[in-house]
Amino acid sequence: MIGLRQVAKKDAASEEDLEAPKDEGKGPSTSRGASPSGATYNPLFLAKAVLRKVVAILLASDDGGIATPGGILALLRDVILGLIVGVIFISAFIVLDHFNVFRSQGAQNFRGVAFHLLNDPETLATVEESSDLRFMTAAEYDSKRKEVEDLPNKKANLDDVLRRRKAEVEESEKEIEAIKDEYQSLKKNPLLELDKFCGECIWAGKVTCDERVKFLEGTWNTRPLAGMVSAMEVATCKKQ
């Protein structure tokens, strides 16, 4: 406003204001050396002076115009700053309405639409896919957290079970090693004549002798040696 008043004073000093009304019968207009306290300003004149100044700035063809790269960057900066200030203002407006500092129907409608979008399954799926996040309820979160906290106990139990299974396997291997010698001695026993067993021969005209032994193992849980002895009861399974 001080700058505008200075412009008004310069114009008044250089030439007579044609737009300002003249006070007829009251003497000449205020001169340059008049006291500021006694000076009067025409609002219409000030408005036109401001308008002329704005038009002069807009029509000025200097190097800082909007068509130059510097002007475009300045415009983009102003736009971005305006958007940021607008978002901050709207957020503060909604927060103040939420805490009942003042009531606004527009803020309530905006908040309701935002909550509706956040609770929409399609919107949640899109956000989860784009952000690689997983949204869940408080109950589901507590359940998952409890499951994670129980993992050490489950791991300890599984390690104990695995340790017992390994011990059982080692015991079974020891029993197998002990039985192998007995198996070889029985197989070489001349009374059983297991060395004469013919696996490729036909048992009772139906299946091979090996298939008969496997059938006895799978159906009656018969030991291999006992199955061979049983198959050899048919003469065709014994080598001559």
Side-chain angles (χ1 to χ4, degrees), residues 3 16 22 31 73 97 120-121 141 143 146 150 156 171 175 185 220 231 236:
E16 182 181 1
K22 298 180 180 180
S31 62
L73 293 177
D97 177 77
D120 185 40
Y141 172 77
S143 177
K146 185 177 180 181
D150 292 341
E171 292 293 332
E175 292 179 358
S185 63
W220 307 106
T236 55

Side-chain angles (χ1 to χ4, degrees), residues 20-56:
K22 298 180 180 180
D23 295 336
E24 296 180 358
K26 294 183 180 180
S29 60
T30 305
S31 62
R32 181 181 180 89
S35 174
S37 60
T40 59
Y41 299 99
N42 188 351
L44 181 60
F45 169 74
L46 293 177
K48 289 186 177 182
V50 172
L51 180 60
R52 285 197 297 269
K53 187 66 176 178
V54 172
V55 171

Side-chain angles (χ1 to χ4, degrees), residues 68 76 112 114 180:
T68 61
L76 291 177
K180 277 184 179 180

Side-chain angles (χ1 to χ4, degrees), residues 141-189:
Y141 172 77
D142 292 337
S143 177
K144 296 293 184 182
R145 185 179 63 179
K146 185 177 180 181
E147 183 178 352
V148 172
E149 291 175 353
D150 292 341
L151 284 178
N153 296 331
K154 291 182 179 180
K155 182 179 181 299
N157 295 333
L158 292 176
D159 290 341
D160 186 46
V161 172
L162 180 61
R163 196 162 42 249
R164 290 200 303 268
R165 294 289 187 271
K166 286 183 178 180
E168 292 176 359
V169 169
E170 292 176 356
E171 292 293 332
S172 299
E173 290 177 351
K174 292 180 181 179
E175 292 179 358
I176 291 173
E177 292 294 332
I179 293 173
K180 277 184 179 180
D181 296 337
E182 183 179 356
Y183 173 81
Q184 294 297 332
S185 63
L186 290 174
K187 191 173 182 179
K188 295 178 181 179
N189 192 326

